[in-house]
Amino acid sequence: MLKRVVLFTAVCLLAAATAFATVTDTVKKTVDDVIHIVSDKELKKKSNEQRRRAAIKRSIATIFDSQEMAKRSLGKHWNPRTPAERKQFVDLFATLLENSYAGKIESYNNEKIVYTKETLDGEYAEVKSKVITPKQDEYTLDYRLMKKDNGTWMVYDVVIEGVSLVSNYRTQFNRIISTNGYPELVKKLQAKSNELKM
């Protein structure tokens, strides 16, 4: 009986802690996990590159909503796509995002990350942060999140120095589709994905 009470209490405490976790806590946990991965001396070795990339991929997948980001990046070209085309695009976009993010975060060099503000607006939130380099240079890095049906907060855009990652991709993708059609965009993303896997 006592074990059941202890277990029940532990579950309640965990649920309470989760309920009171802020959106900033959610972002910070993932960022801390990724920094831990890229700071690990063993994982830093060239021979462990695949393990390191896989660990980063798993970590960012917990908070980055690649489907929502892909949909927003494709913009007006999303609705005309078939379900199969959407799935293919989301997979290609996720690979592009993961490798792009991993490539940048792997150059981490003891930068300090300060969380400056959290804004909530219904099912949407923004977590503002700044990155301070060892030379005291600073740049802003903001995360835009939306609350999913299961209550978790997921990132749908990242804004670096005022430039939205999703808007930036949308402009590039729209230009390619308008000039050469959707198949050309898929071809370019596939080529980029294959290049990054090499």
Side-chain angles (χ1 to χ4, degrees):
M1 180 66 182
L2 182 60
K3 281 184 181 176
R4 285 185 183 170
V5 171
V6 170
L7 180 61
F8 179 74
T9 305
V11 168
C12 288
L13 287 172
L14 180 61
T18 302
F20 291 112
T22 65
V23 184
T24 302
D25 291 336
T26 303
V27 172
K28 186 176 182 306
K29 182 185 178 313
T30 301
V31 171
D32 288 349
D33 284 349
V34 172
I35 289 173
H36 178 75
I37 293 164
V38 297
S39 302
D40 186 306
K41 287 182 181 173
E42 192 61 29
L43 287 175
K44 271 187 173 181
K45 293 177 181 173
K46 181 76 177 165
S47 58
N48 287 326
E49 185 177 352
Q50 284 189 333
R51 274 185 58 209
R52 183 176 66 246
R53 284 289 175 105
I56 292 171
K57 185 178 174 180
R58 277 194 305 273
S59 186
I60 65 173
T62 63
I63 195 169
F64 278 62
D65 187 342
S66 54
Q67 178 161 338
E68 186 65 28
M69 294 177 88
K71 179 181 172 183
R72 288 171 181 261
S73 295
L74 205 53
K76 65 182 182 182
H77 303 288
W78 175 263
N79 283 339
R81 305 274 71 86
T82 66
E85 285 175 328
R86 289 179 183 177
K87 184 183 180 321
Q88 178 191 37
F89 182 77
V90 169
D91 290 345
L92 288 169
F93 183 84
T95 301
L96 176 72
L97 184 68
E98 288 158 5
N99 286 297
S100 175
Y101 186 80
K104 284 182 175 55
I105 198 74
E106 282 175 334
S107 61
Y108 174 79
N109 185 29
N110 293 320
E111 286 86 354
K112 186 178 174 187
I113 298 169
V114 179
Y115 296 89
T116 56
K117 189 177 179 183
E118 176 183 306
T119 309
L120 289 173
D121 183 12
E123 303 300 302
Y124 293 88
E126 184 172 49
V127 174
K128 290 184 176 290
S129 70
K130 63 181 176 182
V131 180
I132 306 170
T133 69
K135 291 182 178 179
Q136 299 303 304
D137 293 327
E138 293 183 11
Y139 62 91
T140 60
L141 183 59
D142 305 330
Y143 300 86
R144 293 179 177 162
L145 303 95
M146 61 189 300
K147 197 173 192 177
K148 308 302 284 186
D149 292 340
N150 62 5
T152 58
W153 289 96
M154 299 290 286
V155 173
Y156 69 88
D157 197 5
V158 178
V159 182
I160 304 165
E161 286 289 273
V163 179
S164 156
L165 185 72
V166 165
S167 293
N168 198 16
Y169 277 131
R170 189 185 305 128
T171 301
Q172 292 179 50
F173 295 165
N174 188 49
R175 187 181 311 125
I176 294 168
I177 294 170
S178 300
T179 308
N180 297 308
Y182 179 74
E184 181 63 20
L185 174 63
V186 171
K187 192 174 159 187
K188 284 183 181 292
L189 289 176
Q190 283 172 330
K192 187 72 178 172
S193 177
N194 292 336
E195 177 188 316
L196 291 167
K197 285 177 185 171
M198 293 176 70

